[in-house]
Structures are given as structure tokens and as C-alpha cells.
């Protein structure tokens, strides 16, 4: 039975039930992605040398080349004939050749950027700003961000590409398909038990899967409502998210007052305030009616959102290590050096490998390479993996923006690198805790409040330990301040001593942004980070 001959109403049944809510499910990294002005396949976009796109499997997708119709195809472990395998391998080899040709063009353009008439940096230092976006983004949305700054962004009137180039960096964005719709498609049609689904019943199983997700969401409702109410009561009892922590000596001792003295490990962005009593009362009052509605919406969100998150997480892992690498499939794609589960031929891994080669070639010309690694939300998951897999890359600065990865993964993957490389700066940027806990994705308070990170910690994952919570939330990131202090002390012999330049060079820091709904320069929601000048020191520190 051929999958393509299955009744179309079966697909419609699933998507009509699940994907009708995809605008809300897992919202938070961007919200609804903006429609790009520059369509994919233009073939002439200047973003081609600054934006690399991954497909569903983690392989290169020729986003800007409308003449190249080759797409990656993964052979099944069983049932692929020798003739069919030869065809697949030939196409995949052709695709990877195009990817390598693009990387050659990017390398040449990197060197040429040092000779730009308006380049103000050191011509003997190539600074590559590597950006990894979060979930619910599309390649077309990233393309527009590079060109025009995004249609939601009022603080960046120009495109990010030129602004970053003018700041002395070479922007290189890696994007991957991470929308709710495609994640749900993976869940119900393409993936089973972590691997690609095979056989004629791959579509039929969508019905029991959707039924299971719905029942699971309903069954978990009592626990979810209890935890949500308990968190709310605890917040009210403690007098506000900021007040309860600002006066706590465990954390206050790490904060900088903006002067020359102090530990300079953490910073509350000004204006430093919490909600007043009348603001809290007004907020609680407006939740009375929506609170009843959430009894109906929460099971749907949790039941469908949890597996959708798992599919998004799977795709972020594919960007580093493709399934074919882990299974040792002879697919004809990629570099033999990366063809294993130790690294992999995902787009991000291949780029990291090429950057190692570029560093060697530049060194022969007397040019130094510096990597400025930025990961927003789920992008921080990929960033942690790259640091672990490619510890020889010259990371000059690592910035996590509202990281969706766990505290444990940061400790296991990035902290060891920082201890071995005192020349590498690290910044962890988080929302004000009130904004984090009270972000309203639906805009009409019909869904549970909180950013994506709050949803992950409370609904979409079940942390076994405090270290398994998201590291991009203040409520969890504060527990890392002792580690930050220890790393800085290991680097400099003390904390908060030395000149400003010396402290900046040894920086391992946490920044909490302000609570200011009218601000155009600081992020107030989880998705705002990508729209801001994240490469500027005034943004990531002060």
C-alpha cells in the first residue's frame, strides 16, 4: 500500500484537529513568523553568503538557488534496493558538493570583508558572529531579519546583516525548520520512537497518536492546574518576583552596582523595579474569567505541545548530528570525518568543521579567527553541542539569550570549556522574572501564562532535578552564579578586582533585563531577543 494513495481526509483529520492550534502551540521563540519580503529561491540575494539553511533531516537546503532541485533523501535501514540506494547516494553527493561550493564562497567573502572600505576593525582579525535561532522561526523570516531587521522590530531600522558588518563582525546565521506545523507533522506522520517512520501505516498511526496526546493532556490537567496555582500563591506570598530575590544575600552579593567596585558577575538592567501592589491586584483580577477558560485550553496545549516540543528538539539535534550519521547509513552525504554519532554531518557541524579549516588557512596568512557564538532559546542547545563537539574552535565570546537548554547541559558541555579557556567570555541573558512568568502568548489570556521556558519547566518537560530546568530563566540561572564566580576567580585569582578591561576579558556573567512595557531597546518577551542588537556590548552587558 502506497502512503501517497491513502485517503486525503485522514491527513485532514489530524491537521484539522492539531494544527489548527499550531499558532499557539509552543509559541514564545518568535510567535508567528514574519512573512519574508525576499522569497526563497531568488538566486541573487546578498544574504546567500550569510545565511545557511538546514532541511528537516539536518542536511543542507539550497534556500537561495532556484535552479537546484536536489534535496537530501535518507535511505531506510531496510527495504532500500541497491539500485534505489545508488540513485539516492548520487543525489546526496551532488547536494553536498553544492554545500561545499557555498562554503568556499563564504570563506572567500569572509576574507574580502576585511578589505571593505567601511571596515573599522583590525584587518588581521576575522570576527565571525555565528547566530543560532530558536524555535518557531522560518528561513524566510531569518532572511528578512538579515535584510530589513524584521517587521516587529522598531529598534533596528536597518537589516542586521549590514549593521553587524559595520560593527566589525562577519554574520553567519544558521536556520532550521522549527515551526509548530512541521513539528506536528513529524509527530503524526514521520517519526516513531525517535527514528524515521517506515511502512504503509506511517500515516494511519496518526489517529491513535493524536488520541493518545489528547487523553494525556486531559489526564495531566489536575497536576498542571495544581502546580500553576501553587506557583502563583508562592509568588504572591513572597511579595513579587524581583523583590523576593533582590534582597536575598545569596544572589545580591554577585550583582554589580554599576561602579568600579563590585563583583561584576550579574546585572539587573535599569529601571530596576517590580510590580507595585495595585499592578498586581489589577493583574490578578483580569485572570478570573480566563482562568475558567484555561481549564479547557490547558489539556490541548499540554497534550499536543509536549510531543511537538520533542519533535522540535529532535530537529535541533539533527542540525548537529543527522540520523543517518548515528545509524551509519550509506547515504552518500557529508564528510567521512564527521560520519558518525560523535559529530555528524548536520549543517551546524559541517560549518564548525569548515571554520576549523578556515582558521588554519588564515593562520598561514597571519590572520586570526575569532568566533562569537550566539544561541537564542533552542539555539543555545545547538551552541552547547558545538562547544562540546568542537572545543578547538577559537570562541571569543559565547552568548546565550533566553536559553531553552537545561542547567545540567550547560554545566556538562560549556562550563568545562570556559574553565580550560580563560580567554573566552560568557554571557547569560534572561528576561525580568515578571515578564518571564506572566508573558501572555495568546494576547487574550486564554492560554496558561508564561514564556516558552516557563511552559517547558512546568508542562512540556518533567524535570527530575533542579539542574534539569531551563538555564535561560532567572529562577534557575541564579543558581549558576556561584559557578560563574568560581570560574572568574580561577581565571583572575579574585572576583571583582582589576581594571574594567581585565574584568571584561575574564567575564562569565548573567544579565537580567528590565521590566518596561514601553521599552523598544530591551526584550520584554521571549521572542524579542532576536530583534535587538545582541552583538553590541550595551545590550549584552552595559
Amino acid at each position: 500500500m502506497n502512503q501517497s494513495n491513502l485517503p486525503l481526509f485522514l491527513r485532514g483529520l489530524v491537521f484539522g484537529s492539531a494544527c489548527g492550534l499550531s499558532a499557539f502551540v509552543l509559541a514564545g521563540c518568535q510567535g508567528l513568523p514574519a512573512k519574508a519580503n525576499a522569497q526563497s529561491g531568488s538566486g541573487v540575494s546578498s544574504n546567500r553568503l550569510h545565511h545557511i539553511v538546514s532541511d528537516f533531516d539536518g542536511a543542507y537546503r539550497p534556500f537561495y538557488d532556484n535552479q537546484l532541485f536536489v534535496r537530501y533523501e535518507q535511505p531506510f535501514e531496510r527495504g532500500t534496493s541497491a539500485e534505489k540506494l545508488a540513485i539516492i547516494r548520487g543525489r546526496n553527493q551532488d547536494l553536498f558538493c553544492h554545500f561545499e561550493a557555498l562554503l568556499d564562497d563564504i570563506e572567500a567573502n569572509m576574507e574580502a570583508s576585511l578589505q571593505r572600505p567601511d571596515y573599522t576593525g583590525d584587518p588581521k582579525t576575522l570576527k565571525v558572529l555565528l547566530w543560532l535561532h530558536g524555535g518557531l522561526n522560518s528561513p524566510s523570516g531569518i532572511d528578512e531579519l538579515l535584510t530589513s531587521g524584521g517587521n516587529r522590530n522598531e529598534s533596528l531600522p536597518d537589516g542586521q546583516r549590514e549593521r553587524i558588518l559595520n560593527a566589525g563582525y562577519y554574520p553567519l546565521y544558521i536556520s532550521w525548520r522549527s515551526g509548530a506545523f512541521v513539528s506536528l507533522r513529524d509527530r503524526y506522520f514521520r517519526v516513531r520512537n525517535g527514528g524515521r517512520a517506515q511502512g504503509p501505516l506511517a500515516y494511519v498511526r496518526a489517529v491513535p497518536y493524536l488520541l493518545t496526546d489528547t487523553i494525556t493532556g486531559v489526564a495531566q490537567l489536575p497536576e498542571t492546574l495544581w502546580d500553576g496555582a501553587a506557583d502563583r500563591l508562592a509568588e504572591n506570598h513572597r511579595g513579587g518576583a524581583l523583590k523576593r530575590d533582590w534582597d536575598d544575600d545569596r544572589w545580591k552579593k554577585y550583582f554589580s552596582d554599576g561602579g568600579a567596585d563590585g563583583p561584576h558577575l550579574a546585572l539587573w538592567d535599569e529601571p530596576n523595579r517590580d510590580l507595585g501592589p495595585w499592578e498586581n491586584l489589577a493583574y490578578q483580577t483580569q485572570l478570573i474569567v480566563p482562568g475558567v477558560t484555561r481549564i479547557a485550553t490547558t489539556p490541548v496545549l499540554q497534550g499536543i505541545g509536549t510531543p511537538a516540543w520533542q519533535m522540535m528538539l529532535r530537529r535541533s539535534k539533527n542540525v548537529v548530528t543527522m540520523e543517518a550519521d548515528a545509524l551509519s547509513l550509506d547515504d552518500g552525504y557529508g564528510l567521512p570525518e564527521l560520519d558518525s554519532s560523535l559529530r555528524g554531518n548536520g549543517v551546524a557541524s559541517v560549518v564548525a568543521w569548515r571554520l576549523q579549516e578556515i582558521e588554519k588557512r588564515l593562520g598561514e596568512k597571519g590572520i586570526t579567527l575569532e568566533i562569537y557564538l550566539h544561541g537564542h532559546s533552542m539555539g543555545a542547545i545547538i551552541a552547547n553541542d558545538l562547544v562540546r563537539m568542537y572545543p578547538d574552535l577559537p570562541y571569543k565570546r559565547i552568548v546565550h539569550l533566553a536559553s531553552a537548554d537545561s542547567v545540567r547541559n550547560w554545566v556538562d558541555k560549556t562550563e568545562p570549556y570556559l574553565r580550560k579557556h580563560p580567554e573566552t567570555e560568557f554571557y547569560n541573558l534572561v528576561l525580568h522574572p515578571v515578564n518571564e512568568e506572566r508573558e501572555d502568548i495568546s494576547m487574550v489570556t486564554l492560554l496558561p501564562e508564561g514564556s516558552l521556558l516557563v511552559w517547558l519547566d512546568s508542562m512540556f518537560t518533567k524535570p527530575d532535578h533542579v539542574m534539569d530546568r531551563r538555564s535561560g530563566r532567572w529562577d534557575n540561572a541564579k543558581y549558576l552564579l556561584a559557578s560563574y564566580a568560581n570560574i572568574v576567580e580561577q581565571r583572575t585569582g579574585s572576583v571583582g578586582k582589576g581594571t574594567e578591561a581585565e574584568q571584561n576579558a575574564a567575564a562569565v556573567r548573567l544579565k537580567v533585563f528590565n521590566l518596561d512595557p514601553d521599552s523598544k531597546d530591551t526584550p520584554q518577551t521571549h521572542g524579542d531577543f532576536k530583534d535587538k542588537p545582541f552583538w553590541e556590548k550595551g545590550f549584552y552587558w552595559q
Side-chain angles (χ1 to χ4, degrees):
M1 182 178 179
N2 192 307
Q3 294 178 7
S4 62
N5 293 330
L6 288 172
L8 292 178
F9 80 86
L10 188 57
R11 304 187 195 186
L13 172 64
V14 175
F15 283 119
S17 303
C19 296
L21 295 170
S22 64
F24 296 134
V25 173
L26 290 178
C29 286
Q30 177 179 352
L32 293 178
K35 183 178 180 181
N37 294 323
Q39 298 297 318
S40 63
S42 63
V44 297
S45 174
S46 52
N47 289 339
R48 172 180 173 271
L49 301 178
H50 299 276
H51 180 202
I52 300 175
V53 179
S54 167
D55 70 2
F56 300 124
D57 297 295
Y60 167 64
R61 177 189 170 197
F63 181 73
Y64 294 103
D65 191 345
N66 61 350
Q67 302 300 318
L68 183 61
F69 298 102
V70 179
R71 297 293 184 269
Y72 173 80
E73 181 177 355
Q74 177 181 312
F76 287 121
E77 285 190 271
R78 303 179 303 276
T80 303
S81 66
E83 180 180 359
K84 176 65 173 176
L85 179 59
I87 295 174
I88 291 174
R89 293 186 73 252
R91 291 174 178 171
N92 289 345
Q93 287 174 350
D94 185 42
L95 175 65
F96 193 75
C97 285
H98 282 87
F99 186 19
E100 289 190 301
L102 171 63
L103 293 176
D104 290 340
D105 292 343
I106 290 175
E107 181 177 350
N109 195 48
M110 284 179 174
E111 288 195 57
S113 70
L114 297 175
Q115 308 302 322
R116 283 171 45 121
D118 55 349
Y119 181 69
T120 58
D122 181 0
K124 291 296 184 181
T125 302
L126 175 62
K127 300 180 178 181
V128 176
L129 190 150
L130 193 60
W131 169 259
L132 302 162
H133 66 73
L136 287 186
N137 281 271
S138 65
S140 58
I142 300 301
D143 181 78
E144 182 183 14
L145 197 65
L146 281 164
T147 303
S148 62
N151 63 7
R152 295 193 310 148
N153 182 20
E154 300 180 20
S155 63
L156 290 180
D158 302 319
Q160 289 187 359
R161 184 190 69 237
E162 289 303 314
R163 292 197 59 175
I164 293 173
L165 282 169
N166 291 337
Y169 303 97
Y170 186 92
L172 187 58
Y173 286 35
I174 296 177
S175 70
W176 45 290
R177 297 289 298 277
S178 57
F181 184 87
V182 293
S183 298
L184 291 170
R185 190 189 78 165
D186 279 0
R187 162 63 176 166
Y188 297 119
F189 299 124
R190 298 190 61 192
V191 178
R192 185 174 69 86
N193 293 335
R196 288 283 294 274
Q198 303 184 46
L201 299 181
Y203 285 125
V204 176
R205 67 183 176 81
V207 175
Y209 272 43
L210 179 59
L211 183 61
T212 298
D213 293 342
T214 303
I215 294 174
T216 300
V218 173
Q220 291 180 326
L221 179 62
E223 178 183 342
T224 302
L225 292 180
W226 177 274
D227 288 344
D231 290 343
R232 179 60 55 216
L233 290 173
E235 179 185 344
N236 292 338
H237 176 70
R238 289 177 292 190
L242 176 58
K243 182 180 178 181
R244 67 175 183 255
D245 285 327
W246 181 251
D247 294 328
D248 192 324
D249 289 338
R250 286 182 299 168
W251 323 125
K252 191 174 182 179
K253 63 184 178 182
Y254 296 115
F255 280 84
S256 168
D257 60 2
D261 298 327
H264 296 280
L265 292 174
L267 177 71
W268 285 105
D269 198 20
E270 297 295 337
N272 180 8
R273 75 178 190 94
D274 201 353
L275 293 179
W278 290 109
E279 290 176 294
N280 269 312
L281 178 61
Y283 177 79
Q284 299 294 343
T285 302
Q286 75 176 14
L287 295 180
I288 295 176
V289 175
V292 178
T293 307
R294 290 176 182 175
I295 297 177
T297 60
T298 298
V300 178
L301 176 65
Q302 185 166 12
I304 297 177
T306 299
W309 158 255
Q310 293 168 347
M311 292 301 101
M312 292 175 66
L313 190 60
R314 180 181 189 273
R315 291 195 174 197
S316 71
K317 294 176 180 178
N318 277 343
V319 175
V320 180
T321 303
M322 296 170 61
E323 183 176 310
D325 299 321
L327 298 176
S328 299
L329 295 181
D330 186 16
D331 61 352
Y333 180 89
L335 297 170
E337 300 92 333
L338 305 181
D339 194 12
S340 73
S341 58
L342 296 177
R343 282 185 169 171
N345 277 292
V347 160
S349 183
V350 174
V351 169
W353 177 269
R354 173 58 74 97
L355 287 172
Q356 288 186 159
E357 300 302 306
I358 291 175
E359 181 188 19
K360 296 175 184 177
R361 287 190 281 270
L362 290 177
E364 296 173 354
K365 301 176 182 179
I367 300 175
T368 300
L369 175 66
E370 294 179 350
I371 305 296
Y372 295 78
L373 181 62
H374 293 68
H376 172 221
S377 190
M378 295 189 74
I381 298 174
I382 304 172
N384 278 333
D385 282 337
L386 290 182
V387 170
R388 176 179 63 86
M389 291 181 171
Y390 294 91
D392 294 330
L393 274 176
Y395 303 106
K396 180 64 176 176
R397 182 186 306 132
I398 301 172
V399 182
H400 287 183
L401 305 94
S403 169
D405 209 355
S406 67
V407 172
R408 186 182 305 278
N409 279 343
W410 183 87
V411 170
D412 289 344
K413 298 175 181 180
T414 297
E415 181 178 355
Y417 180 88
L418 295 175
R419 292 189 180 278
K420 294 180 180 179
H421 297 269
E423 73 282 359
T424 303
E425 305 169 27
F426 176 80
Y427 292 86
N428 188 13
L429 312 184
V430 303
L431 287 177
H432 189 285
V434 170
N435 283 332
E436 193 85 71
E437 295 171 7
R438 299 187 177 184
E439 182 174 340
D440 181 15
I441 300 300
S442 66
M443 308 302 288
V444 289
T445 67
L446 296 180
L447 294 176
E449 60 194 6
S451 71
L452 170 66
L453 305 188
V454 174
W455 287 5
L456 287 174
D457 281 345
S458 61
M459 288 192 295
F460 298 157
T461 67
K462 295 294 183 182
D464 299 318
H465 192 279
V466 292
M467 290 185 65
D468 297 316
R469 299 173 183 168
R470 305 310 102 185
S471 65
R473 291 180 62 189
W474 160 250
D475 280 356
N476 306 324
K478 63 189 177 186
Y479 300 115
L480 287 170
L481 286 171
S483 294
Y484 295 177
N486 184 262
I487 295 172
V488 172
E489 185 174 8
Q490 175 184 308
R491 292 178 170 188
T492 64
S494 62
V495 178
K497 303 298 182 181
T499 65
E500 181 179 357
E502 290 172 339
Q503 292 190 53
N504 288 338
V508 181
R509 292 167 167 169
L510 169 69
K511 180 175 181 179
V512 187
F513 284 95
N514 60 19
L515 178 64
D516 185 3
D518 298 323
S519 174
K520 296 180 181 179
D521 300 319
T522 59
Q524 301 295 305
T525 67
H526 184 75
D528 281 348
F529 283 89
K530 67 177 182 56
D531 298 325
K532 308 305 179 185
F534 51 81
W535 59 91
E536 295 180 358
K537 185 180 178 182
F539 178 80
Y540 63 79
W541 188 237
Q542 63 178 356

